């Protein structure tokens, strides 16, 4: 009798499920599934005493708990600067700014804290090490660090215009005064030049990234102030592109044309053409005035070389000793922009540049040797430079 009822119960249940499926009654299906689970539990509990009841809800996955290996509060300030190139207060300020973009969909304590994400990326920028090395020191896997790097770069790009700012009209007198103190050339508001950052090129466009030294790189155009602050940046052109071409295809000509009523100039090397707002050296000086102008020009323009040297010494991932960046050109561009942003942040927060082999860990003046570009075939406008020489260097 019991077997007859059980058999007919299962038969009726199966028929009901078939009818519910045909009528598409989702709620009925849910009730039937609950009854089925209950019936199976009652049968299995008799057969298997250790049987665990069937759950309707999906079993919650056991998520790994991330345990940070770095405690910023216990590190000495000097060690913090050596490792991350920023001091403790600046790192905390940066982390607070980026935190909304770095919060993991999986809340604490399972997700990687925003502070750890920022510290791991800063360590990567500062050391130029492989991802695996940085990931191990940060307590995460290499694939996870790769995701963290992309996330932090994406967050930093949102604030690029807050960190790299061209001088406004109200700041021009101060900027001109700082440059005049370098070489006694008046009305200079920026030094312009390009530097190369090595990368592993895409296979399809390998030749495009080959520079004049037969290496593969991105050609990065920078305009800096007298205090080595980066006021303009263009990092999207490959290494085979000439500095003058990058300048013409950037926003610099437009910005400088707008400022011409203030009678201000940029200063650049012989790889750039002479323009009404750009002063370059005299190639073959014939008079003592032209020689004095070239000397003053060299003293003033040297600040861009010091800027490149400090930038690459602070963030070794950009320096040739750190090897080539093994990322897509777009991601390399983002890394360059992020390092320039952090360079400006360190200057504005007066974070000293320390390196372990420096005297007593003190400030080290890093200077990158000048990389002279090939000269332009013709000079566009020398009248402006001639007026400067005649008026200030006779």
């Amino acid at each position: 009798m019991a077997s007859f009822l059980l058999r007919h119960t299962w038969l009726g249940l199966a028929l009901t499920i078939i009818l519910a499926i045909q009528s598409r009654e989702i709620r009925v299906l849910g009730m039937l599934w609950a009854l089925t689970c209950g019936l199976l539990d009652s049968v299995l509990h008799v057969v298997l005493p250790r049987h665990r009841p069937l759950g309707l809800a999906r079993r919650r996955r056991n998520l790994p708990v991330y345990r940070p290996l770095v405690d910023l509060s216990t590190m000495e300030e000097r060690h913090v600067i050596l490792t991350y190139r920023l001091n403790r207060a600046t790192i905390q300020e940066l982390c607070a700014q980026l935190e909304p973009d770095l919060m993991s969909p999986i809340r604490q304590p399972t997700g990687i804290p925003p502070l750890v994400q920022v510290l791991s990326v800063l360590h990567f920028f500062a050391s130029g090490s492989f991802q695996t090395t940085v990931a191990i020191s940060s307590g995460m896997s290499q694939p996870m660090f790769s995701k963290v790097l992309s996330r932090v770069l994406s967050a930093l790009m949102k604030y690029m215009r807050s960190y790299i700012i061209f001088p406004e009209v109200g700041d021009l007198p101060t900027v001109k005064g700082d440059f005049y103190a370098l070489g006694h050339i008046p009305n200079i508001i920026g030094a312009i030049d390009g530097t190369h950052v090595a990368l592993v090129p895409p296979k399809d466009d390998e030749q495009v990234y080959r520079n004049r030294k037969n290496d593969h790189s991105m050609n990065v155009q920078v305009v800096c102030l007298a205090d080595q602050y980066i006021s303009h940046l263009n990092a999207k052109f490959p290494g085979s592109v000439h500095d003058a071409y990058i300048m013409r295809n950037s926003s610099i000509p437009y910005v400088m044309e707008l400022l011409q009523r203030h009678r201000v100039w940029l200063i650049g090397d012989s790889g750039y053409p002479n323009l009404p707002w750009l002063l370059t050296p005299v190639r073959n000086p014939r008079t003592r005035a032209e020689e004095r102008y070239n000397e003053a020009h060299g003293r003033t323009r040297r600040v861009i070389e010091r800027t490149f040297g400090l930038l690459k010494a602070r963030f070794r991932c950009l320096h040739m000793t750190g090897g080539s960046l093994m990322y897509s050109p777009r991601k390399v561009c983002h890394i360059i922009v992020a390092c320039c942003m952090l360079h400006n942040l360190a200057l504005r927060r007066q974070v000293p540049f320390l390196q372990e082999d420096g005297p007593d860990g003190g400030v080290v003046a890093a200077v990158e040797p000048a990389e002279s570009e090939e000269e332009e075939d013709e000079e566009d406008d020398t009248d402006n430079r001639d007026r400067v020489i005649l008026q200030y260097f006779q």
Side-chain angles (χ1 to χ4, degrees):
M1 183 65 178
S3 61
F4 176 80
L5 292 176
L6 184 62
R7 184 167 60 252
H8 281 75
T9 300
W10 282 105
L11 181 59
L13 185 61
L15 291 173
T16 307
I17 292 175
I18 293 173
L19 293 174
I21 292 174
Q22 290 178 348
S23 61
R24 298 183 180 180
E25 289 288 342
I26 303 300
R27 191 165 65 178
V28 175
L29 281 174
M31 295 173 61
L32 291 173
W33 173 247
L35 291 173
T36 304
C37 288
L39 183 59
L40 288 173
D41 282 336
S42 62
V43 174
L44 292 175
H45 182 70
V46 176
V47 179
L48 302 172
R50 296 184 179 182
H51 165 67
R52 298 177 61 183
L54 297 174
L56 297 179
R58 186 178 179 182
R59 187 179 300 172
R60 186 174 181 180
R61 186 170 51 130
N62 292 327
L63 296 171
V65 177
Y66 176 80
R67 295 178 175 84
L69 299 181
V70 178
D71 186 359
L72 194 64
S73 61
T74 62
M75 297 176 63
E76 295 183 359
E77 187 74 3
R78 178 177 177 273
H79 184 55
V80 172
I81 298 175
L82 283 172
T83 306
Y84 304 113
R85 300 304 193 238
L86 299 175
N87 57 25
R88 184 180 291 104
T90 305
I91 291 174
Q92 292 171 343
E93 175 186 341
L94 178 66
C95 184
Q97 184 180 37
L98 302 181
E99 185 172 1
D101 299 303
L102 301 181
M103 287 299 296
S104 173
I106 306 172
R107 297 300 178 183
Q108 307 290 351
T110 54
I112 298 178
L115 177 60
V116 177
Q117 297 183 49
V118 172
L119 290 178
S120 62
V121 173
L122 289 178
H123 185 198
F124 170 72
F125 290 164
S127 63
S129 300
F130 291 105
Q131 282 192 1
T132 303
T133 305
V134 177
I136 292 174
S137 64
S138 301
M140 65 183 78
S141 65
Q142 184 275 326
M144 178 56 69
F145 174 76
S146 181
K147 295 179 181 179
V148 167
L149 176 61
S150 298
R151 186 181 299 174
V152 173
L153 287 175
S154 178
L156 282 170
M157 292 305 104
K158 295 182 179 180
Y159 301 96
M160 178 181 64
R161 298 186 184 277
S162 300
Y163 285 83
I164 301 175
I165 307 172
F166 203 79
E168 298 180 353
V169 174
D171 301 326
L172 294 183
T174 302
V175 174
K176 290 190 291 185
D178 293 341
F179 269 106
Y180 185 80
L182 297 179
H184 296 129
I185 300 180
N187 300 328
I188 301 296
I189 63 168
I192 185 172
D193 202 357
T195 188
H196 290 262
V197 175
L199 84 163
V200 177
K203 293 182 179 179
D204 296 338
D205 300 321
E206 183 267 341
Q207 290 298 326
V208 177
Y209 294 89
R210 191 179 297 277
N211 59 36
R212 66 185 183 279
K213 294 184 177 180
N214 210 32
D215 299 321
H216 299 100
S217 64
M218 297 293 291
N219 193 354
V220 184
Q221 175 188 277
V222 169
V223 177
C224 76
L225 305 184
D227 61 353
Q228 302 179 44
Y229 177 90
I230 294 175
S231 59
H232 186 273
L233 174 67
N234 191 326
K236 64 182 181 181
F237 286 92
S240 62
V241 179
H242 194 277
D243 285 356
Y245 179 88
I246 298 176
M247 184 268 295
R248 291 192 185 101
N249 289 273
S250 68
S251 60
I252 284 296
Y254 174 76
V255 173
M256 292 305 297
E257 289 293 340
L258 292 179
L259 293 175
Q260 276 311 284
R261 62 189 180 91
H262 299 283
R263 197 167 176 254
V264 293
W265 306 306
L266 295 181
I267 192 167
D269 62 15
S270 57
Y272 293 97
N274 280 283
L275 299 171
W277 44 266
L278 178 59
L279 296 179
T280 61
V282 179
R283 297 180 184 176
N284 300 302
R286 299 176 181 177
T287 66
R288 182 56 187 155
E290 291 179 345
E291 292 176 354
R292 284 194 293 266
Y293 165 80
N294 275 0
E295 293 171 1
H297 187 282
R299 289 195 302 270
T300 306
R301 200 192 67 83
R302 202 168 294 128
V303 67
I304 190 69
E305 300 169 13
R306 293 195 297 270
T307 300
F308 289 145
L310 179 59
L311 174 67
K312 293 185 176 183
R314 178 173 271 143
F315 301 109
R316 304 297 292 183
C317 67
L318 304 182
H319 197 272
M320 58 184 178
T321 57
S324 301
L325 290 170
M326 296 183 288
Y327 303 97
S328 66
R330 178 180 176 83
K331 196 165 189 177
V332 170
C333 173
H334 288 173
I335 291 174
I336 295 169
V337 173
C339 290
C340 291
M341 292 169 58
L342 297 172
H343 166 84
N344 284 352
L345 179 61
L347 290 179
R348 289 297 176 255
R349 296 297 182 271
Q350 298 181 349
V351 180
F353 168 60
L354 306 180
Q355 59 182 20
E356 296 191 19
D357 55 355
D360 299 326
V363 179
V364 179
V367 178
E368 183 178 77
E371 298 180 0
S372 300
E373 282 277 355
E374 297 177 1
E375 296 181 350
E376 288 284 283
D377 292 336
E378 67 177 271
E379 298 179 345
D380 297 334
D381 184 2
T382 61
D383 293 340
N384 182 55
R385 185 181 65 188
D386 292 340
R387 285 194 296 269
V388 172
I389 296 174
L390 181 63
Q391 185 173 357
Y392 297 103
F393 295 96
Q394 281 292 356

